[in-house]
Amino acid sequence: MYVIVSDTSGLIFLSAIGELSLLQEMFEKVFVTDIVASEYGEPLPEYIEIRQLSDMQIFNDLQKKLDKGEASSIALSLEIPNSLLLLDELDARSVAAERKLKFIGVLGILLVAKEEGRIPEIKPYID
């Protein structure tokens, strides 16, 4: 079972479809940065842990290509061995791939949730 580091859009999309709790069900731990928590703009469920970045230099370098939330999520994922990154934005995925990070999008979360019997079907969420 993986720990997952989420970007803001993953939280927003899952929350919008009423399935934010899938993260708690599917992953050992759920981490976000304080930047992502701030961008999310609502109180986070207690199972989502806010982590501070240890290496601000990596964050600053990533910010040259990405927005703050994406940059902080990738930087945090680099600090947490074997973490999975929840990203949907293509530029951020490209940067994560360059850094050999594992990632998944909201659609991927829904596909796995369906395979595991956590949701009955995906189509209603896509609609």
Side-chain angles (χ1 to χ4, degrees):
M1 186 174 240
Y2 283 102
V3 300
I4 193 161
V5 175
S6 183
D7 179 25
T8 312
S9 62
L11 299 177
I12 290 170
F13 293 150
L14 286 169
S15 182
I17 62 172
E19 293 294 352
L20 188 59
S21 63
L22 283 174
L23 295 178
Q24 179 185 27
E25 294 173 26
M26 296 171 61
F27 300 97
E28 191 176 324
K29 290 194 181 265
V30 183
F31 296 114
V32 297
T33 63
D34 56 335
I35 294 166
V36 167
S38 177
E39 285 181 352
Y40 183 63
E42 294 181 27
L44 291 168
E46 63 184 39
Y47 59 85
I48 298 178
E49 185 178 325
I50 300 171
R51 282 267 182 107
Q52 301 295 319
L53 293 173
S54 300
D55 189 338
M56 292 306 292
Q57 185 58 51
I58 292 173
F59 168 69
N60 291 332
D61 290 344
L62 290 168
Q63 241 191 143
K64 294 172 186 169
K65 296 180 182 180
L66 305 169
D67 73 27
K68 286 182 179 184
E70 294 161 352
S72 70
S73 296
I74 291 172
L76 182 59
S77 189
L78 287 165
E79 294 179 10
I80 301 174
N82 301 314
S83 60
L84 183 65
L85 195 51
L86 176 53
L87 288 174
D88 281 301
E89 212 278 329
L90 291 178
D91 288 342
R93 285 176 166 224
S94 176
V95 170
E98 288 170 8
R99 297 196 175 240
K100 308 285 190 256
L101 294 171
K102 298 174 192 159
F103 55 87
I104 191 169
V106 170
L107 186 56
I109 296 282
L110 294 174
L111 286 169
V112 172
K114 176 156 182 358
E115 289 172 5
E116 294 178 350
R118 297 177 192 281
I119 59 173
E121 50 186 315
I122 296 172
K123 188 174 181 333
Y125 298 111
I126 296 173
D127 292 341

